[in-house]
């Protein structure tokens, strides 16, 4: 499956952004999807993930209550709504797909990746 992330940008602390991860190529609804982020010099870290039918979601602690992951299997898109953004959310955000399940938090568990979209939050 091919993934394309979009929606990043430069915002101020407290603002919101919605990232999109558009899929194509295979049956999208058979994959769980996760969002990760990476800053230079650090490992890519897990942010959130969603199960195949959208009923199961997981988040890293630092984004709980601020970020919401959702999906539209008809449009083959996964969204990451990010509210109350903080400077520490600044990173390149990547979406990944895996056929194993929604609660996968390790990078190696994802078989397909999008190209990343930059999110910069100024203080």
């Amino acid at each position: 499956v091919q993934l394309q992330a979009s929606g990043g940008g430069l915002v101020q602390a407290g603002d919101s952004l919605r990232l999109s991860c558009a899929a194509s190529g295979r049956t999208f609804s058979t994959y769980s999807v996760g969002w990760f982020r990476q800053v230079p010099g650090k490992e890519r870290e897990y942010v959130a993930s969603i199960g195949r039918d959208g009923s199961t979601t997981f988040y890293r602690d630092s984004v709980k209550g601020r970020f919401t992951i959702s999906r539209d299997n008809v449009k083959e898109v996964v969204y990451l709504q990010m509210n109350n953004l903080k400077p520490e959310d600044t990173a390149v955000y990547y979406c990944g797909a895996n056929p194993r399940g929604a609660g996968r938090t390790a990078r190696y568990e994802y078989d397909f990746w999008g190209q990343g979209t930059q999110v910069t939050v100024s203080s």
Side-chain angles (χ1 to χ4, degrees):
V1 60
Q2 289 79 45
L3 303 173
Q4 183 169 0
S6 62
L10 171 62
V11 297
Q12 294 185 332
D15 286 350
S16 299
L17 278 175
R18 188 178 78 162
L19 305 184
S20 298
C21 177
S24 64
R26 295 192 183 185
T27 306
F28 178 63
S29 61
T30 64
Y31 290 86
S32 296
V33 175
W35 283 97
F36 286 67
R37 63 189 181 188
Q38 189 169 21
V39 297
K42 292 190 176 182
E43 294 292 318
R44 189 173 298 186
E45 67 177 18
Y46 170 84
V47 176
S49 57
I50 188 166
R52 299 177 185 88
D53 63 1
S55 63
T56 305
T57 58
F58 297 88
Y59 300 90
R60 69 179 297 111
D61 287 345
S62 63
V63 307
K64 286 180 180 177
R66 300 189 297 123
F67 291 12
T68 303
I69 189 171
S70 62
R71 69 188 294 164
D72 184 331
N73 283 344
V74 174
K75 295 181 179 179
E76 297 189 327
V77 180
V78 170
Y79 303 101
L80 185 68
Q81 177 67 43
M82 306 186 295
N83 298 330
N84 190 24
L85 282 160
K86 302 177 180 181
E88 52 264 42
D89 295 318
T90 295
V92 177
Y93 283 70
Y94 298 88
C95 57
N98 86 78
R100 301 170 187 85
R104 308 294 174 166
T105 62
R107 180 178 179 177
Y108 71 85
E109 296 180 288
Y110 287 77
D111 298 342
F112 305 98
W113 290 95
Q115 83 289 0
T117 184
Q118 176 72 47
V119 172
T120 303
V121 184
S122 63
S123 58

